[in-house]
């Protein structure tokens, strides 16, 4: 199909993240708990590699699933008092996370995906590199008097910036690159429908502008948050380069200070991008009932000369924010395949025979003569492919006559609106050819 719907009947689950106030005593206990979970992860990696090596020449293949790993964890907790001092819930969830990661990697290998697209096999977590992350199910935590009580007696103070809409089913306690601790609760939520507007919108992603839509009022210009912070970030990175420790030696106090300052700048830019994306997504979802979004994968831009600007645009994060906001408010979000969206004409559906250079900002159709901005034309193609009424779409450039959309009265409306424009252009030609071959010849006067 040309587009697939993303909006569901129910919004499902959402994460609510809160900052944690951690004292020195609680910090020591959290780090000890993480050390146990990290040990369990590394043991799972070692066992997986051992089973894989044994299966190479074995007639009967052994398995290394979460069931076998749970039994090994039970035996390890029985024999090791250090491991037994910690809670069993985060250690079991570590095994579940390992199984999920390994199954994804095995699935990509069986599917013979290219190496650049495969999820790598789980690797060992080193103490100095891995950030603490622990997951707790309902039997591993509780909320009492506004505080988070974890298994094994760890009590955390939560900064409640907003109310939880329901009782959480699980919580993830983790530390970010700045050393701040957070609690991320998973909560079942219900959709919050917005009033119907009767409007539809097409969204095309780009580099010069992050999002170009069929409505000029809802275009998202390139924010340039990374460019604004580049000068300060470069200063801290040069400080790190001058103070970089020798291999095998501990980092100096000055190096760690510069590293923390650089991490602060990175964190600020990330938060600015998230704030910009969510505010724009909220506006788009509030003003439109259905949205056709280009299912764009910006990963390939990392290997081009536009890598820095494309990363600063945060197209992937903005697209994710738009989809999540559409689910939350029960809007119809449709993802459209990006193939040929820059070469198809939104008016007549004709496709150019050559690729348009990126420097060319105007699209001129060689079939019907329609002229419009290139990105605006692509945004309107999204509406056509998604089967939405292109109401509010951009018009052609002033001074040129507007060519109406070429709709064939004999073609069903489903094919006109729901399928690729290329098929619509081919149907009248096929009908004419079939009519020539199927028409019975008139009898001759002498016959």
């Amino acid at each position: 199909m040309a587009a697939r719907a993303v909006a569901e009947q129910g919004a499902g689950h959402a994460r609510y993240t809160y900052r944690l106030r951690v004292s020195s005593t609680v910090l020591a206990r959290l780090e000890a708990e993480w050390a146990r979970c990290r040990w369990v992860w590394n043991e799972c990696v070692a066992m997986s590699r051992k089973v894989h090596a044994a299966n190479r020449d074995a007639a009967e293949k052994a398995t290394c699933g979460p069931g076998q790993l749970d039994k090994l964890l039970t035996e390890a907790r029985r024999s090791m008092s250090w491991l037994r001092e910690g809670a069993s819930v985060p250690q079991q969830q570590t095994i579940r996370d390992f199984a999920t990661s390994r199954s994804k990697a095995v699935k990509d290998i069986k599917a013979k995906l290219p190496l650049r697209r495969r999820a790598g096999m789980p690797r060992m977590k080193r103490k100095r590199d891995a950030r603490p992350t622990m997951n707790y199910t309902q039997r591993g935590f509780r909320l009492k008097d506004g505080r988070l009580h974890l298994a094994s007696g760890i009590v955390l103070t939560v900064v409640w910036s907003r109310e939880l809409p329901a009782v959480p089913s699980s919580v993830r306690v983790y530390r970010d690159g700045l050393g701040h601790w957070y609690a991320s609760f998973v909560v079942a939520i219900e959709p919050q429908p917005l009033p119907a507007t009767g409007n539809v919108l097409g969204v095309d992603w780009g580099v010069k502008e992050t999002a170009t839509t069929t409505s000029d009022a809802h275009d998202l210009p390139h924010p340039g948050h990374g460019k604004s912070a580049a000068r300060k970030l470069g200063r801290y990175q040069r400080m790190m380069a001058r103070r970089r420790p020798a291999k095998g030696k501990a980092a100096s106090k000055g190096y760690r200070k510069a590293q923390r300052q650089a991490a602060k700048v990175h964190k600020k830019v990330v938060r600015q991008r998230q704030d910009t994306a969510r505010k724009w997504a909220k506006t788009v979802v509030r003003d439109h009932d259905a949205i056709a979004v280009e299912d764009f994968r910006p990963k390939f831009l990392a290997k081009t000369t536009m890598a820095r600007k494309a990363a600063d645009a945060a197209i992937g994060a903005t697209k994710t924010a738009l989809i999540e906001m559409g689910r939350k408010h029960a809007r119809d979000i449709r993802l459209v395949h990006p193939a040929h969206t820059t070469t198809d004409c939104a008016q007549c559906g004709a496709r150019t025979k050559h690729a348009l250079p990126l420097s060319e900002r105007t699209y001129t159709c060689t079939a019907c003569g329609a002229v419009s901005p290139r990105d605006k034309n692509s945004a309107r193609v999204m509406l056509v492919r998604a089967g939405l009424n292109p109401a509010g779409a951009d018009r052609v450039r002033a001074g040129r006559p507007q060519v109406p959309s070429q709709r064939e009265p004999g073609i069903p409306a489903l094919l006109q609106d729901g399928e690729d424009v290329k098929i619509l252009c081919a149907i009248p030609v096929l009908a004419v050819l079939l009519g020539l071959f199927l028409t019975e010849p008139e009898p001759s006067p002498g016959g």
Side-chain angles (χ1 to χ4, degrees):
M1 295 179 62
R4 58 185 179 91
V6 178
E8 302 289 345
Q9 293 294 333
H13 295 77
R15 284 193 174 273
Y16 284 73
T17 304
Y18 303 87
R19 180 80 177 272
L20 296 176
R21 301 298 184 191
V22 180
S23 62
S24 58
T25 304
V26 175
L27 177 61
R29 300 193 64 179
L30 285 173
E31 290 179 346
E33 196 74 28
W34 164 241
R36 301 182 184 96
C37 294
R38 188 174 60 85
W39 182 87
V40 172
W41 175 278
N42 292 341
E43 287 297 310
C44 292
V45 174
M47 181 58 63
S48 174
R49 293 175 179 177
K50 182 180 178 181
V51 171
H52 176 70
N55 286 339
R56 291 179 179 176
D57 302 327
E60 291 187 8
K61 304 296 183 181
T63 59
C64 184
Q68 291 90 337
L69 296 176
D70 279 337
K71 293 180 180 179
L72 295 177
L73 176 60
T74 302
E75 296 176 0
R77 287 178 60 86
R78 187 183 297 114
S79 60
M80 302 175 61
S81 59
W82 166 76
L83 190 63
R84 194 166 55 248
E85 290 176 358
S88 61
V89 174
Q91 297 173 14
Q92 291 174 344
Q93 292 305 310
T94 300
I95 294 178
R96 299 295 180 274
D97 295 340
F98 170 81
T100 302
S101 178
R102 185 178 183 276
S103 61
K104 178 64 171 65
V106 172
K107 181 180 179 181
D108 291 348
I109 293 174
K110 291 182 178 179
K112 298 181 179 180
L113 293 179
L115 291 177
R116 64 180 183 275
R117 293 176 53 191
R118 292 182 187 178
M121 296 293 290
R123 297 182 295 179
M124 295 285 185
K125 292 186 176 181
R126 297 188 297 179
K127 179 180 179 181
R128 60 185 180 184
D129 296 334
R131 296 177 184 173
T133 301
M134 294 166 286
N135 294 322
Y136 294 83
T137 56
Q138 280 186 332
R139 63 189 185 93
F141 78 97
R142 63 173 178 168
L143 295 174
K144 183 179 179 181
D145 298 331
R147 307 185 75 184
L148 175 61
H149 294 251
L150 301 178
S152 70
I154 301 177
V155 182
L156 299 170
T157 302
V158 185
V159 181
W160 297 107
S161 55
R162 53 179 173 172
E163 295 289 336
L164 280 173
V167 178
S169 59
S170 64
V171 63
R172 176 183 298 164
V173 179
Y174 66 95
R175 186 178 67 191
D176 66 355
L178 297 179
H180 300 160
W181 287 85
Y182 295 88
S184 181
F185 298 93
V186 177
V187 180
I189 61 173
E190 294 294 332
Q192 305 172 10
L194 293 173
T197 62
N199 300 327
V200 296
L201 188 74
V203 179
D204 176 72
W205 306 111
V207 177
K208 187 175 181 180
E209 289 187 346
T210 302
T212 302
T213 67
T214 52
S215 172
D216 293 338
H218 295 85
D219 290 347
L220 178 61
H222 195 292
H225 297 305
K227 185 177 181 180
S228 302
R231 184 176 181 181
K232 186 180 293 186
L233 181 62
R235 174 192 172 192
Y236 295 132
Q237 288 176 341
R238 288 191 297 271
M239 292 171 61
M240 292 172 58
R242 291 194 300 266
R243 302 167 184 178
R244 188 178 302 277
K247 186 175 182 180
K249 293 187 177 181
S252 64
K253 184 177 180 180
Y255 178 84
R256 291 196 300 269
K257 181 179 179 180
Q259 187 181 37
R260 181 176 177 82
Q261 294 294 336
K264 281 186 177 180
V265 176
H266 277 295
K267 191 72 172 180
K268 180 180 179 180
V269 172
V270 170
R271 287 171 174 169
Q272 287 177 326
R273 291 169 179 168
Q274 290 178 347
D275 181 70
T276 301
R278 289 172 181 172
K279 288 180 178 178
W280 174 79
K282 182 69 174 183
T283 304
V284 168
V285 169
R286 184 185 64 240
D287 297 341
H288 301 88
D289 294 341
I291 306 169
V293 184
E294 181 185 10
D295 193 11
F296 183 62
R297 310 294 174 86
K299 186 176 181 180
F300 77 96
L301 290 175
K303 299 181 181 180
T304 65
T305 57
M306 301 180 292
R308 176 176 296 182
K309 190 168 184 179
D312 195 12
I315 298 176
T318 308
K319 172 186 167 186
T320 301
L322 179 59
I323 294 175
E324 291 178 352
M325 196 66 67
R327 288 174 177 170
K328 178 180 178 181
H329 296 292
R331 294 303 200 192
D332 185 10
I333 307 294
R334 304 188 183 185
L335 299 182
V336 181
H337 196 278
H340 305 294
T341 54
T342 58
T343 57
D344 287 355
C345 177
Q347 295 286 344
C348 66
R351 180 171 298 169
T352 58
K353 301 298 183 181
H354 62 281
L356 298 177
L358 293 177
S359 58
E360 182 64 34
R361 307 306 302 174
T362 303
Y363 180 90
T364 304
C365 181
T366 56
C368 64
V371 179
S372 65
R374 172 178 173 170
D375 294 338
K376 289 289 184 180
N377 177 77
S378 299
R380 195 174 174 195
V381 169
M382 305 299 165
L383 291 175
V384 177
R385 291 192 180 183
L388 300 174
N389 179 24
D394 65 300
R395 301 303 180 186
V396 297
R397 182 180 297 177
R400 292 289 188 95
Q402 181 181 356
V403 180
S405 178
Q406 301 295 327
R407 294 294 189 187
E408 296 293 334
I411 304 175
L414 178 62
L415 291 180
Q416 291 188 5
D417 294 332
E419 297 297 333
D420 199 334
V421 182
K422 182 179 179 180
I423 299 177
L424 303 182
C425 298
I427 289 178
V429 179
L430 293 176
V432 173
L433 294 177
L434 290 176
L436 294 177
F437 286 105
L438 296 180
T439 304
E440 295 184 1
E442 297 182 359
S444 59

